[in-house]
Amino acid sequence: MYYIGIDISKFKHDCAVIDDAGDVVTPSWSFANDLEGFLQFKALLDSLGTETKIGLESTGHYGMNLKLFLEADGFSFMEFNPLLINRFVKSKSLRKTKTDAIDCEMIARYLMTVEYKPYPPSFYHIEKLKSLTRFRDNLVRQRSRQLVELTNILDKVFPEFKPFFSGKFTVTALHILSEYSSPEKIANMNSRSYEPLRKLSRGRFSTTHFAKLKLLAKNTVGHPTDFLLQEMDIVLELYSQLDSKVDETESLIRECVSEIDPPMLTVPGIGVDSAAVILAEFGDFSKFQNPSQMLSFAGMEPGYFQSGTSESTGKMVKHGSSFLRYALINCTQTVINYEPTFAQYYAKKRAEGKPYRVALTHTAKKLIRVIFTLQTRNITYDSDSVR
């Protein structure tokens, strides 16, 4: 058996091969992150025969093309958390030395010490979902940034506008700014302008509100200069474009989740968006032997310290994906509202004197245990079987 360690980087990958005895068969060498380099690596794999195990660090998108290349040629591989590799390297030497040559050999040696759990052939769907969910998160952040810019401009142009809408940019408020970009135009709105606003707000924007907004616009202390109004038009256009792309990306995410059809969707309160992030970040559920490993992967386990006769637990370690923890906590809040079993568990933790966030975290851990059972056994949710 040959153990192959690969250290992934942007323009090249470093590779080392060791045998069952731990002897170096192929010293560290580099191949380019292109077709020629991949073919060189495949030639090495072919020369070693079929008894090979391949390990590499999880380093974002840099290794995606290599993983797809290996899968297309029928080779299996296993990914490792970089933190585990880092700790393994430190356990082998007190020297503070880090090179790609050392890393790839240590990945191969670490591969010898663990159970080989190769990525499933369907990993592409998970990678696709992970890319889409993170891309959506980036778009949402950019969209939110435009609202901050819009607020800054309104503070100079029409400072009374946003407080009038209780500090929120509702659909009605954004429509008014898009159609009537200056306080003067807003003050001159007529009865024909009101009907679209009434429909957008579903009747909540009354004629009284309409008259008050016009009066505010007429008596504003803002200074609607030309350059500020131009900036506002650009920001509104960018916001509209980003909002459209968020919807487009969410449609792609829903299609991807529909193809996978995860059992966790049968839990009341878990929507497609939350399920998408949980699926994408956890990846292959078969790599987890128990829910505790999922908690550790999500960084939702408490730190534990023991020395001599003293021992204590600390705060959540918060290792792993922040996207995953955020999705789990938000999802748990919704599940509490829709599923009585989780609501009772949350209430029990609150009755024990635990603060809101602590009780919510405990409930999220219970949700992870349920998700583990549903996904690994491929069964639907049954509230009667949940304790």
Side-chain angles (χ1 to χ4, degrees), residues 16-279:
V17 182
I18 61 177
D19 59 18
D20 285 322
D23 297 326
V24 177
V25 175
T26 304
S28 174
W29 64 283
S30 300
F31 60 95
N33 188 18
D34 56 26
L35 180 58
E36 182 180 354
F38 289 1
L39 292 175
Q40 291 175 355
F41 179 60
K42 183 179 181 298
L44 170 66
L45 295 177
D46 291 337
S47 68
L48 295 173
T50 57
E51 294 296 314
T52 58
K53 292 182 179 179
I54 302 173
L56 47 90
E57 278 187 326
S58 178
T59 51
H61 63 278
Y62 291 141
M64 184 64 181
N65 292 327
L66 178 60
K67 290 188 288 186
L68 290 173
F69 178 82
L70 291 171
E71 183 190 46
D73 280 293
F75 294 100
S76 66
F77 58 89
M78 183 176 181
E79 272 195 319
F80 299 115
N81 188 320
L83 181 62
L84 295 176
I85 301 298
N86 183 45
R87 289 178 175 176
F88 181 77
V89 172
K90 288 181 178 180
S91 71
K92 295 297 181 181
S93 175
L94 294 176
R95 299 179 63 188
K96 288 188 176 181
T97 304
K98 185 188 184 305
T99 65
D100 293 338
I102 293 175
D103 287 347
C104 64
E105 182 180 332
M106 286 300 170
I107 292 172
R109 295 192 182 280
Y110 183 70
L111 182 61
M112 295 178 65
T113 67
V114 299
E115 181 185 355
Y116 189 60
K117 294 182 178 179
Y119 256 44
S122 60
F123 85 94
Y124 173 75
H125 293 288
I126 299 299
E127 292 290 342
K128 173 184 176 182
L129 198 55
K130 188 173 184 178
S131 179
L132 285 172
T133 52
R134 293 197 173 192
F135 181 64
R136 176 196 173 278
D137 181 77
N138 186 36
L139 288 176
V140 170
R141 290 175 186 271
Q142 291 185 54
R143 185 180 64 181
S144 298
R145 179 60 189 168
Q146 301 312 311
L147 295 182
V148 174
E149 292 291 343
L150 183 58
T151 300
N152 293 339
I153 295 170
L154 283 172
D155 287 342
K156 306 168 190 173
V157 172
F158 189 0
E160 302 87 355
F161 182 86
K162 192 175 180 181
F164 178 78
F165 288 93
S166 302
K168 299 177 181 179
F169 284 115
T170 63
V171 175
T172 307
L174 289 173
H175 177 79
I176 292 172
L177 291 175
S178 298
E179 296 296 322
Y180 311 96
S181 55
S182 68
E184 181 182 357
K185 291 181 180 180
I186 293 175
N188 292 327
M189 288 190 299
N190 54 36
S191 57
R192 286 177 298 178
S193 305
Y194 172 70
E195 187 58 24
L197 301 180
R198 185 190 65 80
K199 290 181 179 179
L200 277 174
S201 66
R202 298 180 181 179
R204 289 189 292 270
F205 192 74
S206 64
T207 53
T208 304
H209 288 100
F210 184 66
K212 286 182 178 179
L213 180 62
K214 289 179 61 177
L215 184 61
L216 281 176
K218 183 178 180 180
N219 299 316
T220 181
V221 296
H223 293 80
T225 56
D226 290 341
F227 74 90
L228 287 174
L229 294 177
Q230 289 171 350
E231 287 180 10
M232 187 163 68
D233 286 341
I234 293 172
V235 168
L236 287 168
E237 183 178 353
L238 287 173
Y239 177 86
S240 178
Q241 291 175 355
L242 288 167
D243 192 51
S244 174
K245 295 306 176 184
V246 168
D247 291 341
E248 186 178 331
T249 306
E250 287 177 345
S251 178
L252 294 173
I253 290 172
R254 285 191 292 270
E255 290 177 9
C256 192
V257 173
S258 178
E259 292 175 4
I260 300 173
D261 192 23
M264 75 174 76
L265 278 177
T266 61
V267 178
I270 296 185
V272 173
D273 291 340
S274 297
V277 178
I278 294 170
L279 280 170

